[in-house]
Amino acid sequence: RIRAHDESRLLELQSFAHLAQLALTNASQRESLVLASMTDQLTSLLNRRGWEHYLSTVRPTCGTLVFLDVDGLKQVNQMSGYQSADEKLQIVGSVLKTGFRSTDCACRWGGDEFLVFLKDSNRVTTEKRILDVTGEITKLSQLNLTYGMAEVTTSSHDQNTFLSVIAIAQRAMEQRKLATG
């Protein structure tokens, strides 16, 4: 009788271990799917959903936001095809991903537009870093980028604050683009 009882307990433990393993596998797959849903496939940077997740979890309170636009990507598409343009965007993503600190956030905002938030960084430091990074992108991809900056100095953590800062940085980028012709 003791033996039958021990075998029954062993079967229960094996069943529990199997269920626990399934739960861990499920959790791991879910985590992979969530991460994939926040990442731009082409550039491996965060996408807009990833940006929103960054804002909600990190809650950055000050720093400088940079709005970047890739110049001439449409012409690359027309002259060399989408594959060439995609390869150049992959270079942009790679340099943006490695060109900043782990506390900063780079994302593909859409098409040929990117955002970079440099946490606890002022305009002077940010501009130096952006010039280094955009110079590297130009060297590797033969693409130029135009950028605009806006400082985040509020203690507010809501998405609307960052939307208005993005709009300011975008306008600064557009003005710079017009000025350089």
Side-chain angles (χ1 to χ4, degrees):
R1 274 194 170 254
I2 293 174
R3 196 168 248 207
H5 178 68
D6 289 344
E7 286 178 18
S8 174
R9 296 280 284 164
L10 180 60
L11 287 173
E12 285 177 13
L13 287 173
Q14 287 174 334
S15 178
F16 177 78
H18 178 71
L19 290 174
Q21 182 60 40
L22 286 175
L24 290 172
T25 300
N26 187 19
S28 176
Q29 288 174 344
R30 182 184 182 285
E31 186 176 329
S32 294
L33 288 171
V34 168
L35 184 59
S37 76
M38 293 189 293
T39 305
D40 177 67
Q41 277 188 308
L42 184 62
T43 63
S44 297
L45 295 173
L46 294 178
N47 59 22
R48 282 187 186 213
R49 178 179 288 148
W51 168 259
E52 291 168 3
H53 179 74
Y54 168 80
L55 290 182
S56 68
T57 56
V58 174
R59 299 184 184 270
T61 56
C62 65
T64 305
L65 182 110
V66 183
F67 191 101
L68 296 149
D69 183 68
V70 178
D71 301 331
L73 192 64
K74 184 177 181 180
Q75 288 79 5
V76 172
N77 275 333
Q78 292 170 341
M79 308 259 310
S80 304
Y82 287 102
Q83 186 173 356
S84 178
D86 284 353
E87 289 168 0
K88 291 180 182 292
L89 283 173
Q90 287 170 335
I91 292 169
V92 172
S94 176
V95 175
L96 289 178
K97 191 171 194 159
T98 60
F100 299 99
R101 305 167 299 179
S102 62
T103 56
D104 300 331
C105 180
C107 98
R108 185 174 183 198
W109 191 241
D112 61 353
E113 299 172 336
F114 297 84
L115 295 180
V116 179
F117 180 71
L118 287 83
K119 188 175 179 183
D120 300 324
S121 182
N122 62 36
R123 285 179 86 86
V124 173
T125 304
T126 298
E127 187 146 30
K128 181 183 179 332
R129 192 75 211 122
I130 289 296
L131 289 173
D132 289 345
V133 169
T134 56
E136 181 72 10
I137 289 169
T138 300
K139 186 171 84 177
L140 295 173
S141 70
Q142 290 73 50
L143 290 173
N144 291 315
L145 282 82
T146 303
Y147 66 92
M149 298 187 301
E151 288 189 87
V152 177
T153 57
T154 179
S155 60
S156 174
H157 301 298
D158 67 12
Q159 180 72 11
N160 290 331
T161 299
F162 271 87
L163 289 175
S164 64
V165 171
I166 291 168
I168 293 167
Q170 183 177 12
R171 278 194 300 278
M173 179 276 300
E174 291 165 351
Q175 289 172 350
R176 183 181 300 256
K177 196 173 273 227
L178 286 173
T180 59

